[in-house]
Amino acid sequence: MDHRVVFDFDIEFTNGGGIQGQDFRLDITGETITDEELADYIIADLRLLMVGQVKILNKFYIQEKHKRQPVDQPSPELLVDLSHTIFDGLITYKGLPAPLICDFLSREDSRGRYEEGTEFQIGKIEMVSNTGTYIDCPFHRYGHGKDLSEVQLESFANLDAVTIDATGALEVGVDFFKDLEIRNKAVIVRTDWSKNWNTEAYFENHPFLTGEAAGYLRDCGVKLVGIDSHNIDDTRGNSRPVHTILLGAEILIVEHLCNLEKLPASGYLFSAVPPKFKGVGTFPVRAFATLPKV
């Protein structure tokens, strides 16, 4: 037998008025459904607009053959966090200071400023912009390049993405990117070096892209290149050809990613959105992937 949910509902509209229903029956795909999911389901089922508060009342389940085809629902999505946590004292890059994270106004100090039972915390953060998982814009490398405030939002969010499996490689060369559909995409390079995060091993002999690979990606017209390593360039010397080539072509760079083993080879969206700062070319991001839930 199929599953159905029986319930009452009370729906208010943001433009006034409302509707109620008693002993309403709805086909569901599983054995149970949450009130929140049920509210979304019935709104779609009745094609309601301007919906405000929704109350689901007296809900119970029955087994009964479905009376009709279920309402088409938007495809569910899965978000995968690809960012490291930034904490007080974290060293992201040797030679750069760790962030200082503390209270500007503590909850205890706030109690005398508000009515009884009301308290707030206001944090204070001092850090360099190259902290945690961060994005590089052209201004990071070039004085005339676009800074965070000048790069369009579309360059940071909902980019079609592909994952390149470079695990076990030190130098990620051109061959890793050949025979793949990468034009106009975010190219995310998985090395699994993030397993060494916040250890001494993270800083030494890390994987990196070659300058030749950067030139190939530029010529292919990619939108962004990310990596889960200490740096996208080889830091054993003073040359930074990958930053030079990619940022010179206004191709954004994201470094210090993590959880790339959770990503498919393709068919997902990548986002890494920084604050809109003027005069800054690098800043931490909450990078994430949007995957279709199967």
Side-chain angles (χ1 to χ4, degrees), residues 107 110-120:
R107 299 186 186 280
S110 77
R111 290 170 186 165
R113 303 189 181 193
Y114 306 99
E115 67 180 25
E116 185 176 354
T118 301
E119 61 183 39
F120 297 94

Side-chain angles (χ1 to χ4, degrees), residues 29 31 36 50 99 131 177 232 278 282:
T29 56
E31 296 183 4
E36 292 77 9
M50 304 289 187
T131 298
F177 306 101
I232 202 167
K278 184 69 178 174
T282 298

Side-chain angles (χ1 to χ4, degrees), residues 15-170:
N15 59 346
I19 62 172
Q20 296 78 39
Q22 290 78 42
D23 199 31
F24 199 84
R25 299 186 179 206
L26 195 66
D27 300 338
I28 57 175
T29 56
E31 296 183 4
T32 62
I33 186 171
T34 67
D35 286 358
E36 292 77 9
E37 291 171 329
L38 187 52
D40 292 341
Y41 205 155
I42 193 173
I43 290 167
D45 190 54
L46 298 180
R47 302 191 179 190
L48 300 178
L49 301 174
M50 304 289 187
V51 175
Q53 185 179 35
V54 180
K55 296 179 181 178
I56 305 297
L57 309 165
N58 305 318
K59 183 177 71 175
F60 63 95
Y61 303 98
I62 61 173
Q63 285 188 309
E64 187 176 81
K65 187 174 178 59
H66 287 175
K67 298 297 189 290
R68 58 186 170 86
Q69 293 297 318
V71 175
D72 289 337
Q73 296 292 307
S75 299
E77 295 176 334
L78 175 66
L79 299 182
V80 179
D81 194 339
L82 307 177
S83 297
H84 290 290
T85 299
I86 297 174
F87 55 86
D88 183 65
L90 170 70
I91 297 295
T92 301
Y93 200 98
K94 279 189 175 181
L96 296 180
L100 171 65
I101 304 174
C102 60
D103 289 339
F104 175 77
L105 177 67
S106 69
R107 299 186 186 280
E108 293 76 11
D109 292 340
S110 77
R111 290 170 186 165
R113 303 189 181 193
Y114 306 99
E115 67 180 25
E116 185 176 354
T118 301
E119 61 183 39
F120 297 94
Q121 185 266 0
I122 299 176
K124 178 181 179 181
I125 302 173
E126 295 181 3
M127 68 178 187
V128 295
S129 57
N130 292 54
T131 298
T133 302
Y134 52 78
I135 194 162
D136 291 341
C137 297
F139 186 76
H140 177 54
R141 172 64 179 79
Y142 297 98
H144 61 275
K146 292 180 180 178
D147 63 21
L148 294 169
S149 70
E150 295 169 322
V151 176
Q152 295 298 309
L153 187 59
E154 292 81 3
S155 298
F156 297 120
N158 294 332
L159 302 172
D160 287 329
V162 296
T163 308
I164 306 300
D165 188 351
T167 53
L170 175 64

